[in-house]
């Protein structure tokens, strides 16, 4: 266990963040700073303050999406820290007035954070500020959580988001939502210095149809 912790510490010092996290997860001793590191903190905090987005939510999502690998690329073509799809990145860059955007810029952490957080903010607003639904939308596309939330045209009951998440029909998305919000809870504890409730972070899911804002 000491060796695993030493490897985690070494990887953190070298800023090999995915190895830092994975080595820490294999250790029995829990070191929150190794398991939930905060690279690019100045950029994340600056951007989230500007657009009024919770940085703990952003870190929770990045940790799940890429484990802070700047040039991460998925099998379907999503790129960078926040694993943004090329079409989504182009649409969001235009939406926020980013000039001279080029697809290769997604592998630069500042550009990826700017575009990824802007898109996440738009998704969150379109999901009535439900972080659980926004995480599901980020993973599975915005149209699916709307259908999962309001199968009865908005006539269903208000649900605990934990219950709603457990009934997501896609295994990957169900697991993703739980991990992103669990990550965010730990990051919120680091930011505030206070214990956080996962249940509070998950919140509730209302029956009303989500916004019809068109999102890619």
């Amino acid at each position: 266990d000491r060796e695993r912790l030493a490897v985690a510490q070494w990887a953190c010092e070298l800023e090999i963040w995915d190895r830092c996290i994975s080595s820490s997860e294999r250790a029995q001793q829990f070191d929150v700073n190794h398991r939930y590191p905060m690279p690019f903190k100045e950029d994340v905090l600056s951007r989230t303050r500007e657009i009024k987005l919770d940085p703990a939510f952003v870190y929770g999502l990045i940790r799940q999406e890429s484990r802070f690998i700047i040039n991460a690329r998925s099998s379907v073509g999503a790129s960078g820290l926040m694993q943004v799809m090329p079409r989504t990145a182009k649409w969001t860059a235009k939406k926020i007035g980013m000039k001279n955007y080029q697809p290769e810029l997604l592998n630069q952490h500042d550009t990826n954070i700017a575009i990824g957080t802007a898109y996440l903010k738009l998704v969150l607003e379109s999901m009535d500020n439900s972080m659980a639904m926004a995480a599901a939308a980020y993973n599975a596309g915005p149209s699916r959580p709307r259908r999962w939330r309001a199968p009865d045209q908005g006539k269903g009951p208000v649900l605990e988001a934990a219950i709603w998440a457990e009934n997501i029909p896609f295994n990957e998305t169900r697991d993703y939502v739980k991990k992103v919000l669990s990550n965010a809870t730990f990051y919120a504890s680091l930011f505030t210095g206070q214990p956080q409730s996962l249940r509070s972070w998950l919140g509730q899911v209302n029956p009303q149809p989500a916004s019809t804002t068109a999102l890619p």
Side-chain angles (χ1 to χ4, degrees), residues 3-19:
E3 289 177 353
R4 293 188 182 99
L5 291 171
V7 169
Q9 177 64 33
W10 184 45
C12 281
E13 290 173 358
L14 294 175
E15 299 184 355
I16 308 174
W17 303 110
D18 58 323
R19 302 297 195 274

Side-chain angles (χ1 to χ4, degrees), residues 53 57 120-131 134:
L53 185 62
F57 186 35
L120 181 60
K121 175 71 173 180
L122 291 168
V123 169
L124 183 63
E125 289 175 345
S126 78
M127 299 295 158
D128 298 336
N129 293 307
S130 165
M131 290 187 181

Side-chain angles (χ1 to χ4, degrees), residues 63-79:
R63 186 184 186 277
Q64 185 61 26
E65 286 285 354
S66 68
R67 292 210 164 180
F68 306 101
I69 300 174
I70 293 176
N71 60 350
R73 188 173 177 83
S74 76
S75 59
V76 296
S79 296

Side-chain angles (χ1 to χ4, degrees), residues 93-188:
K94 183 177 180 179
K95 188 83 172 174
I96 64 177
M98 181 179 287
K99 297 179 180 178
N100 303 317
Y101 169 75
Q102 297 295 327
E104 57 269 21
L105 295 177
L106 275 180
N107 286 329
Q108 295 183 6
H109 74 272
D110 52 349
T111 300
N112 195 279
I113 289 168
I115 290 176
T117 54
Y119 180 67
L120 181 60
K121 175 71 173 180
L122 291 168
V123 169
L124 183 63
E125 289 175 345
S126 78
M127 299 295 158
D128 298 336
N129 293 307
S130 165
M131 290 187 181
M133 287 194 66
Y138 201 94
N139 179 260
S143 63
R144 290 191 176 99
R146 292 183 183 127
R147 294 198 300 270
W148 298 336
R149 177 171 73 165
D152 300 318
Q153 289 74 48
K155 297 178 182 178
V158 174
L159 291 177
E160 293 285 342
I163 296 172
W164 179 83
E166 287 294 345
N167 286 280
I168 291 173
F170 293 176
N171 292 337
E172 177 189 330
T173 304
R174 184 168 62 250
D175 184 61
Y176 178 89
V177 170
K178 290 189 285 187
K179 286 181 176 176
V180 167
L181 271 297
S182 176
N183 292 344
T185 303
F186 278 105
Y187 278 113

Side-chain angles (χ1 to χ4, degrees), residues 181-203:
L181 271 297
S182 176
N183 292 344
T185 303
F186 278 105
Y187 278 113
S189 296
L190 290 173
F191 279 120
T192 64
Q194 300 294 326
Q196 300 288 309
S197 164
L198 177 57
R199 182 178 179 182
S200 296
W201 267 83
L202 283 164

